[in-house]
Amino acid sequence: MSTVDREQQVLERIDRARRARARVKDERITLAHGAGGKATHSLIEAVFLEAFRNPILEPLEDQAVFSVGGARLAFTTDSYVVRPLFFPGGDIGELAVNGTVNDLAMSGAQPLYLSVGVILEEGFPVADLARVTDSMARAAQAAGVQVVTGDTKVVERGKADGCYLNTTGVGVITHDLRLGAGEARPGDVVLVSGPIGDHGVTIMLARGELDIEADLGSDTAPLADLVQRMLAAAPGVRCMRDATRGGVATILNEIARASEAAVVIDERAIPVRTEVRGASEILGIDPLYVACEGRFVAVVDPANADAALDALRAHPLGAGAAVIGQVKADPPTLVLLKTEFGGTRIVDVLIGDPLPRIC
Amino acid sequence: MSTVDREQQVLERIDRARRARARVKDERITLAHGAGGKATHSLIEAVFLEAFRNPILEPLEDQAVFSVGGARLAFTTDSYVVRPLFFPGGDIGELAVNGTVNDLAMSGAQPLYLSVGVILEEGFPVADLARVTDSMARAAQAAGVQVVTGDTKVVERGKADGCYLNTTGVGVITHDLRLGAGEARPGDVVLVSGPIGDHGVTIMLARGELDIEADLGSDTAPLADLVQRMLAAAPGVRCMRDATRGGVATILNEIARASEAAVVIDERAIPVRTEVRGASEILGIDPLYVACEGRFVAVVDPANADAALDALRAHPLGAGAAVIGQVKADPPTLVLLKTEFGGTRIVDVLIGDPLPRIC
């Protein structure tokens, strides 16, 4: 491509971004803006990135990485508004600890310290709050982190759903690997650490709006130990992302775009529990878009793929790990699914919000 | 006091704490639990401290201090639920940046990085969100910090008041002073960095529920630079606290208790703007309990008090600084106010919540 063509392309891209930004700013917030998919990305780019742009924020990874006084730190935040607060396999407290621990772990950091910000609704039973904090304490212990600071606010009755949480975490990075969504290369192998969609489907069923019973619980779990074991066995890991909002499909799209490569996955290879598959069919959603809270995707150098898979499978939290696809050169920035019936279709990022407030 | 008496005292204290804990756990959350006063303290001790107890959390300062890889860090979190979102002199975004910057500054840290967690209500105008983030960006620039990571959640219409924010901050501590609410000693001088109560009264008036007009704006401001200048001039600073929820009265009580000393303040010496005094009288509240967002209290070695006061007054944000009292040995753990009329009364921590959701 000539220099003139490239310049023309850049100008067109800037113009498209500008128009998209103006469009977003005219809007009102919808549930889709919180779903982790297309609308969330547009909002983040148009509003947050535009306001705060700096080299640490710009990669838009799930954690910031910076150095202070010689220490390389990872830093990440998440708010939790899951409904209901208590569900099979966990509760908002356990989720808030594991979710933030996992965002640190995805940078290869050792999670160390958490802050907890609580927004309580007037009338919320203190006993329920104690149940949440006890659950957080157990999860923190299991993940090897300490809650070291906090804040409590109260809003009037009706202005929150009992309890919203924010956890922010600090971890230390001691490896010197180069990890990031933009690091995937053609030939790399795509792994998932276990069956997908358990958390999202569990939450939908726990709301009782559907008349489905399933023997299913959230997969919420702390992944730092599992990640450390995989990194020790397979230093050729290019990137890791935990498959929360937007599910596996959305993070594969993030990787494909950031790496300007194709991600081709094989439908038959993707581990999905029968209960999740069944409930997803009734809900009319694709498990690829359903959130997990204890599963992650790793892109690994093919020379290390077997070692990575073995390390995952040797750990209780990675027992169901599988190779689900490969990175290819073409078509760049797209995710393709080879279907069970031998066809191929494009897997886009999540559009809309079929499963609101699952974390 | 004999050893037996002391042991008896300790046992009684434990028993009282146990009964208080049981009492709190039976309760439901009230607005008072979020006011920063007596109810907030009981809740934090009974629920959060009990669940998470560790040596870093235990001092219950406004920030945690720990070391990672040789760097000494300060870490703090605050959620913001102020109503209205926009008010004279600031908005929720500016407040969220300055509040967290100030909690870092009170440990003598240099604030470095912030995370931002946003909980949005469905239907909130994106233009208002952009106004908030632009304001945060300006405040971050003024305070010399960078927003490096974030998270966005959306809840259904009616489940939040437009926008709740959480900011969590990391700063670096390079001084080797020993600072803390428990460090005050008899003879120390108590300073305040400027007139008190502007923020809380501004918010109450901005709600328009009272038919009062006053030429008043929030005092929200980043205090790190002011603090650094004071510490450079007066290394004998024992402790600093910004006078947010619960006001000056509540933090003086925290200092008196932690130091097991008396804090005696002089009503005539406390700087309060005429507008704040007038509005407080109409509202039926004492300015000593009204939140500031750009003022702090410092307890200083008497040998350094003049230097500290001069350093404060030389800075635009400390121009109204004043000596307001002294630390004494007796009566331990109490705050006493010498009134304008020559009497003396005990100033307790805030009870109830006369000014809900001011930050």
Side-chain angles (χ1 to χ4, degrees), chain A residues 142-228:
Chain A
V145 296
Q146 287 186 304
V147 174
V148 293
T149 192
D151 175 60
T152 307
K153 292 291 188 303
V154 179
V155 294
E156 299 88 346
R157 216 173 279 267
K159 295 293 184 186
D161 262 338
C163 167
Y164 299 149
L165 295 181
N166 174 284
T167 50
T168 304
V170 173
V172 64
I173 298 178
T174 52
H175 68 73
D176 52 7
L177 305 172
R178 194 187 161 99
L179 299 170
E183 300 297 324
R185 301 172 208 173
D188 284 352
V189 174
V190 181
L191 303 173
V192 68
S193 68
I196 66 172
D198 293 12
H199 176 75
V201 168
T202 299
I203 296 298
M204 290 312 288
L205 299 186
R207 290 192 191 147
E209 293 158 11
L210 298 159
D211 201 17
I212 311 174
E213 286 201 23
D215 185 17
L216 200 63
S218 168
D219 49 47
T220 178
L223 297 173
D225 186 49
L226 179 62
V227 165
Q228 290 303 328

Side-chain angles (χ1 to χ4, degrees), chain A residues 231-245:
Chain A
L231 289 180
V237 172
R238 316 279 198 204
C239 101
M240 298 177 284
R241 285 260 174 136
D242 55 337
T244 58
R245 287 183 296 173

Side-chain angles (χ1 to χ4, degrees), chain B residues 24-66:
Chain B
V24 168
K25 287 214 178 158
D26 274 345
E27 284 177 14
R28 284 176 177 268
I29 294 296
T30 66
L31 289 174
H33 287 116
K38 207 159 202 161
T40 307
H41 283 254
S42 304
L43 185 73
I44 287 171
E45 284 177 16
V47 178
F48 295 99
L49 188 58
E50 196 190 1
F52 303 132
R53 193 180 294 277
N54 62 63
I56 302 173
L57 175 66
E58 198 133 14
L60 294 179
E61 292 284 345
D62 287 342
Q63 69 297 118
V65 175
F66 50 75

Side-chain angles (χ1 to χ4, degrees), chain B residues 63-87:
Chain B
Q63 69 297 118
V65 175
F66 50 75
S67 292
V68 181
R72 197 154 156 247
L73 303 177
F75 181 49
T76 190
T77 193
D78 259 323
S79 297
Y80 297 84
V81 296
V82 65
R83 190 166 54 81
L85 299 176
F86 304 95
F87 46 80

